[in-house]
Amino acid sequence: MNVVLIASEAVPFAKTGGLADVAGALPRALAQIGIHATLFIPCYRHARDSGIPLRNTGIKLKIPRGSSGTVEVQIQASTLPGTDVPVYLIDRPAYFDRPALYQENGADYGDNCERFIIFQRAALEAIRALGMRPDVIHCNDWQTGLIPIYLDEFYRGTPELAAAGSLFTVHNMAYQGSFWHWDMPLTGLDWRLFNWRQLEFHGRINFLKAGLVFSDLLSTVSPTYSREIQTPEYGCGFDGLLRARRHDLHGIVNGIDPTVWNPRVDRLISSTFDAASVGTGKAVCKRAIQERAGLPQRPDVPLFAQIGRLDSQKGWDLLMEVADELLQGDVQFVVLGEGHPRYHDLLNQLAQRHPEKLRVFLEFSNPLSHQIEAGADIFLMPSLYEPCGLNQLYSLTYGTIPIVRQTGGLADTVVDATPEALANGTATGFSFRDIHAGALRYAIHRALELWADRPGWSKLVHNAMKADWTWDRAARSYLGLYNEICRRRTGRAAV
Ligand code: ADP
């Protein structure tokens, strides 16, 4: 089975969010179960600065730029560190040698449409130039949404891509790649495709829609999110389309990398620990983060944490409603994040009101994110929607009890501590349903009640740490989808 994954970011080359974690880890996990996986990403400045060696393949390709000539791209090669999984980087400095991936100072790059059209066509041309014959092309998010239609319109007559099937994975429906209709000629596609059943959405070209309409199979990053996006509340305008394709739509929860997010081996934290030593190990890590945060070093006080983009998606408005009341109790709270200036201001004001209890780090810091996960007791993640979510998985692994809203991947990965779930040992956290401060407040109240019952809390921590979130499970589920795609295309599975 030959699978080509195409994504707009991948760890450790370039990252803005969870997509990069997936694109960096899934090919490795696929290789471990015998799939020949190859990854294509843009050659951003970050990839050049990452310190990972890049090799110029010498391949130069002329990619059509609509009806106005061609642009030349080169193909750099590398491997995912620690593996022999090939990575090819589409190199055109004018598009990708920039300070950021998609936007600066909150404004998208004006040529994102062109950048990612050329990226997609260049990836397909590079597959041909490299003589690859993928069984499946695994596309991710809007930046790769045109690939299934390009395969059908331009490549069915080529030996390399005649039989290639496509899987389109949506990591977040809210990001769509919506561009004005006069960019249609840039795509190189015929205007006949610009209609409400295909590429057009509210008068604009929509790359996400292209992926949803034309790929052989669709997936999202959790079963619950795959059902939610079939409703008007979560479907971002595509619920009808997704209901029509519901038999082709699957949900697979992401894994986490056990060499990176693992309290047994984590070199970024003050003391490693496992389930047997979590009591002493976490106490050391808690003291360390309290010291770093300038908070009183008290082992007895519950330490709350939140790490992530400061965006309304993550439930910050709910958190702000309950924060003052929470901080009036005997608790501590550490926040790590950057994002919307409105939340920067609100958090700074909150920290001024509660200097002894709250510390806010308005930055992006990987070491700090590990240290907070290891030292905190409770992780707050009341997201309005959450396709998969990674921080609750890190929290479970580090024995940091998550309080989550029951949505998307949060609903699929956190088992609410009901009396029954506590009694039968399946409880791993606290969850609530309604987007309402009262519901969050009650979940926090339940958590604090159990915190006071030390043996009960310790049992919950052990339950949380037991679950296995490695990529192997997800990779096997993706293999099932790849086989289904091959069966549909050729009448037989590839392995
Ligand atoms: P999303 O992709 O919606 O941002 P996820 O939970 O799926 O959310 O993934 C976010 C990733 O980015 C996680 O690996 C998280 O630890 C990391 N992250 C987000 N904000 C920060 C930050 N300020 N510092 C360090 N890591 C961060």
Side-chain angles (χ1 to χ4, degrees):
M1 168 76 76
N2 284 308
V3 177
V4 166
L5 290 104
I6 308 184
S8 59
E9 53 185 272
V11 165
F13 298 94
K15 166 170 173 172
T16 66
L19 167 63
D21 291 308
V22 178
L26 179 59
R28 185 189 307 253
L30 291 172
Q32 277 165 2
I33 60 168
I35 296 176
H36 191 275
T38 308
L39 176 65
F40 282 78
I41 55 173
C43 191
Y44 298 109
R45 180 180 301 176
H46 312 69
R48 290 193 182 283
D49 293 348
S50 67
I52 302 163
L54 305 183
R55 175 179 60 81
N56 194 325
T57 60
I59 297 173
K60 289 185 179 163
L61 300 168
K62 289 212 180 316
I63 308 298
R65 187 188 173 279
S67 50
S68 55
T70 58
V71 296
E72 188 179 275
V73 303
Q74 300 197 40
I75 309 298
Q76 306 287 340
S78 187
T79 51
L80 280 178
T83 73
D84 52 11
V85 173
V87 180
Y88 292 103
L89 301 97
I90 306 298
D91 189 11
R92 180 162 169 86
Y95 291 146
F96 300 122
D97 185 10
R98 298 186 185 181
L101 273 56
Y102 316 118
Q103 52 165 252
E104 278 176 56
N105 306 321
D108 285 345
Y109 288 130
D111 59 351
N112 272 350
C113 184
E114 176 173 337
R115 295 168 80 215
F116 288 101
I117 285 172
I118 300 295
F119 169 63
Q120 295 175 84
R121 293 209 66 174
L124 292 170
E125 289 298 331
I127 288 170
R128 296 187 63 203
L130 291 158
M132 299 165 68
R133 288 189 183 219
D135 298 296
V136 174
I137 300 190
H138 185 164
C139 310
N140 294 278
D141 279 351
W142 71 262
Q143 294 90 344
T144 59
L146 294 179
I147 284 178
I149 179 76
Y150 280 151
L151 284 173
D152 285 347
E153 292 288 307
F154 300 142
Y155 293 99
R156 290 303 176 204
T158 68
E160 298 86 4
L161 293 166
S166 56
L167 171 66
F168 184 62
T169 299
V170 181
H171 299 259
N172 192 335
M173 290 291 295
Y175 299 94
Q176 302 196 347
S178 166
F179 303 103
W180 78 327
H181 64 289
W182 286 118
D183 278 335
M184 192 64 196
L186 261 185
T187 66
L189 294 164
D190 195 285
W191 274 106
R192 83 183 141 76
L193 294 162
F194 190 76
N195 67 77
W196 71 274
R197 285 182 179 279
Q198 296 182 307
L199 299 187
E200 184 268 345
F201 188 63
H202 293 286
R204 296 165 67 83
I205 312 167
N206 191 297
F207 285 20
L208 181 80
K209 180 171 181 177
L212 297 178
V213 170
F214 289 100
S215 64
D216 292 325
L217 284 186
L218 300 169
S219 74
T220 65
V221 285
S222 68
T224 297
Y225 191 61
S226 77
R227 289 188 296 272
E228 286 173 340
I229 57 179
Q230 296 176 48
T231 66
E233 193 185 349
Y234 293 90
C236 299
F238 294 123
D239 48 295
L241 167 50
L242 290 166
R243 281 196 301 280
R245 292 207 67 187
R246 66 187 175 282
H247 299 301
D248 294 333
L249 172 61
H250 301 263
I252 300 174
V253 171
N254 293 332
I256 58 178
D257 185 339
T259 64
V260 177
W261 286 100
N262 181 348
R264 289 168 199 80
V265 300
D266 193 334
R267 279 197 233 108
L268 295 169
I269 63 181
S270 298
S271 168
T272 55
F273 56 86
D274 59 14
S277 60
V278 58
T280 48
K282 195 174 255 301
V284 174
C285 295
K286 185 168 174 176
R287 214 177 311 126
I289 194 66
Q290 283 171 328
E291 187 178 0
R292 172 85 194 268
L295 297 172
Q297 296 200 14
R298 289 180 50 197
D300 57 311
V301 66
L303 176 58
F304 287 75
Q306 156 56 241
I307 300 166
R309 285 183 293 121
L310 299 181
D311 187 285
S312 61
Q313 179 203 331
K314 301 291 176 185
W316 276 105
D317 294 298
L318 283 183
L319 277 174
M320 287 303 168
E321 271 192 73
V322 305
D324 271 311
E325 188 183 320
L326 173 66
L327 288 163
Q328 270 151 24
D330 195 16
V331 303
Q332 294 178 342
F333 190 8
V334 175
V335 175
L336 169 64
E338 54 180 9
H340 202 290
R342 175 178 130 76
Y343 298 119
H344 285 217
D345 293 346
L346 286 171
L347 280 165
N348 279 332
Q349 289 161 18
L350 196 63
Q352 275 167 14
R353 291 200 293 278
H354 305 276
E356 289 287 296
K357 294 183 178 173
L358 170 65
R359 174 64 198 267
V360 180
F361 297 97
L362 295 175
E363 59 184 288
F364 193 99
S365 164
N366 185 51
L368 206 44
S369 71
H370 284 249
Q371 287 147 15
I372 293 172
E373 282 289 6
D377 299 300
I378 299 170
F379 195 89
L380 287 166
M381 204 159 167
S383 305
L384 305 186
Y385 71 93
E386 195 61 74
C388 177
L390 291 170
N391 270 306
Q392 87 279 12
L393 300 182
Y394 305 152
S395 297
L396 292 166
T397 308
Y398 283 67
T400 306
I401 298 303
I403 298 181
V404 303
R405 197 172 92 73
Q406 245 170 58
T407 182
L410 300 175
D412 292 333
T413 56
V414 176
V415 180
D416 187 34
T418 59
E420 304 77 53
L422 282 170
N424 66 25
T426 54
T428 58
F430 297 87
S431 61
F432 64 98
R433 179 103 211 105
D434 296 341
I435 302 179
H436 190 277
L440 171 59
R441 206 175 279 127
Y442 184 56
I444 293 173
H445 169 77
R446 289 166 56 218
L448 289 174
E449 254 184 12
L450 193 64
W451 168 263
D453 162 16
R454 301 311 299 155
W457 187 264
S458 170
K459 188 149 183 292
L460 188 63
V461 167
H462 281 90
N463 290 345
M465 292 182 76
K466 261 195 307 220
D468 174 14
W469 302 109
T470 49
W471 270 102
D472 185 65
R473 164 199 48 82
R476 288 177 196 283
S477 300
Y478 278 110
L479 174 58
L481 299 190
Y482 301 151
N483 273 326
E484 170 63 16
I485 291 167
C486 291
R487 261 191 296 273
R488 290 193 189 183
R489 285 262 158 209
T490 64
R492 61 182 173 79
V495 286

